[in-house]
Amino acid sequence: ATALQNFLNIFDAGPEYFIANNILRFPGAKNIASSYGSAIHTGLEVFFTDYMQKWTFMKSLLFESFEKSLIQEGFDTTTLRTYLDRGRANLESLYTEIVGKKYEKLFLEYDFRTVWGGVYLGDIQLTGKIDRIEQLSDDSLIITDYKTGGGFDTFDGKWSEYVKVKQWKYQLQLAFYAVLFDLSPRWAPFRQRQYELFFVEKNRDEDKFHRLTEYVQQGEFERTKSLIRAVMTCIRDLRFPDVNKYPKSLEGIRQFEEDLLNWQV
């Protein structure tokens, strides 16, 4: 999903950045925001793994696993202290938020590359890792992706251009997840699926955690499959289009998508 997003939104860094990071996979410098988000994810994974084994909510595990993960990143003392304090304050509120219900069957950090022979769209292998899948007693699924940073409750488009592009990325990610689940031998039989973004940092102004629920429609599902095929063709042919003619906005991204689908790039 990340590679697809990066290809469709290469306006700022250009195709060279896409090649280095998604094909050649050159290592890059550590990013504190990314490391912080990963540490929050690790804390939640350890916390819910323990819950599945003991059916208790161990607050200490949530904090300790977050702190250990962030400390291991090796940032300077001042930066580390700032993000440890930020994380501890947020986890205090998050703990109260996530212990308010009983969870059913959970699958954590589910990696589609390593189970049931993988997922394929024709000869294209699709990969992705899901933060949390909850299988309910009626065999419906709640598929949750954790997000740090600012959140929202709807894709209503009443935001700045920056947020609109961010929302586009999230919608594309959820549509890609829908393709993964629909093509997966393991999950295809489960037809009732709810996709959820859970913004795990509390909005202090509104004093709430944002959750965004999406039910991906068939049209968007089919369009995403077509985009995957078009992008994969470009990658295989090493054909990276000139994006200078597109405005650096959501409108530009959408036009680029349409041109890809119509083979006009």
Side-chain angles (χ1 to χ4, degrees):
T2 301
L4 179 62
Q5 289 172 341
N6 288 344
F7 188 92
L8 293 175
N9 190 13
I10 57 178
F11 302 101
D12 294 327
E16 297 84 1
Y17 178 87
F18 176 84
I19 295 170
N21 287 274
N22 295 279
I23 297 179
L24 301 179
R25 296 187 181 277
F26 288 164
K30 289 182 179 178
N31 178 285
I32 181 60
S34 176
S35 296
Y36 170 76
S38 295
I40 293 287
H41 278 65
T42 297
L44 288 166
E45 180 186 4
V46 172
F47 176 80
F48 279 114
T49 298
D50 183 73
Y51 169 82
M52 289 191 295
Q53 295 169 349
K54 302 174 184 175
W55 301 107
T56 57
F57 296 108
M58 292 293 293
K59 186 178 183 179
S60 60
L61 276 179
L62 180 62
F63 280 74
E64 290 168 5
S65 52
F66 158 73
E67 292 170 4
K68 181 179 179 181
S69 176
L70 192 59
I71 290 170
Q72 287 176 340
E73 293 296 315
F75 291 103
D76 65 85
T77 302
T78 301
T79 300
L80 178 62
R81 184 183 299 115
T82 298
Y83 278 86
L84 282 174
D85 289 345
R86 171 179 166 180
R88 289 166 183 152
N90 189 70
L91 290 177
E92 191 69 43
S93 299
L94 183 60
Y95 177 80
T96 303
E97 178 79 7
I98 60 182
V99 299
K101 61 166 285 187
K102 179 179 179 181
Y103 297 87
E104 299 190 42
K105 191 174 183 179
L106 295 178
F107 302 84
L108 305 172
E109 295 297 318
Y110 188 89
D111 193 340
F112 280 87
R113 291 176 295 185
T114 60
V115 293
W116 288 63
V119 177
Y120 288 85
L121 176 61
D123 63 345
I124 304 170
Q125 183 176 13
L126 306 181
T127 63
K129 183 179 285 187
I130 308 297
D131 292 333
R132 190 178 80 205
I133 305 169
E134 185 176 7
Q135 181 182 338
L136 304 182
S137 56
D138 63 357
D139 279 341
S140 61
L141 303 177
I142 301 176
I143 297 132
T144 300
D145 189 73
Y146 302 132
K147 297 294 183 187
T148 51
F152 32 79
D153 294 317
T154 65
F155 288 129
D156 57 15
K158 299 176 181 179
W159 302 86
S160 67
E161 194 64 35
Y162 171 81
V163 176
K164 287 179 181 179
V165 172
K166 189 176 181 180
Q167 290 183 333
W168 163 80
K169 291 180 180 180
Y170 289 162
Q171 286 181 298
L172 180 64
Q173 181 180 357
L174 295 183
F176 186 87
Y177 284 173
V179 173
L180 275 176
F181 276 84
D182 210 69
L183 298 179
S184 166
R186 170 69 175 86
W187 296 108
F190 297 84
R191 305 307 301 175
Q192 299 299 316
R193 309 181 201 122
Q194 171 185 316
Y195 300 90
E196 177 186 81
L197 298 179
F198 180 15
F199 296 90
V200 294
E201 288 200 290
K202 192 172 190 178
N203 184 308
R204 300 298 172 184
D205 294 334
E206 300 178 40
D207 193 32
K208 64 180 287 189
F209 288 90
H210 286 288
R211 296 175 185 264
L212 197 155
T213 299
E214 184 86 344
Y215 296 90
V216 179
Q217 302 300 312
Q218 188 66 25
E220 189 64 20
F221 170 78
E222 295 297 336
R223 187 175 187 274
T224 302
K225 288 199 297 184
S226 296
L227 280 171
I228 293 170
R229 294 188 188 99
V231 166
M232 196 63 200
T233 297
C234 288
I235 293 172
R236 285 172 171 170
D237 295 344
L238 294 180
R239 179 166 57 91
F240 298 99
D242 181 2
V243 296
N244 290 323
K245 66 179 181 179
Y246 301 100
K248 295 182 177 181
S249 63
L250 179 59
E251 180 184 356
I253 294 172
R254 288 297 191 188
Q255 185 59 57
F256 182 42
E257 288 180 336
E258 290 304 311
D259 289 349
L260 272 174
L261 292 173
N262 294 314
W263 301 100
Q264 294 178 358
V265 297

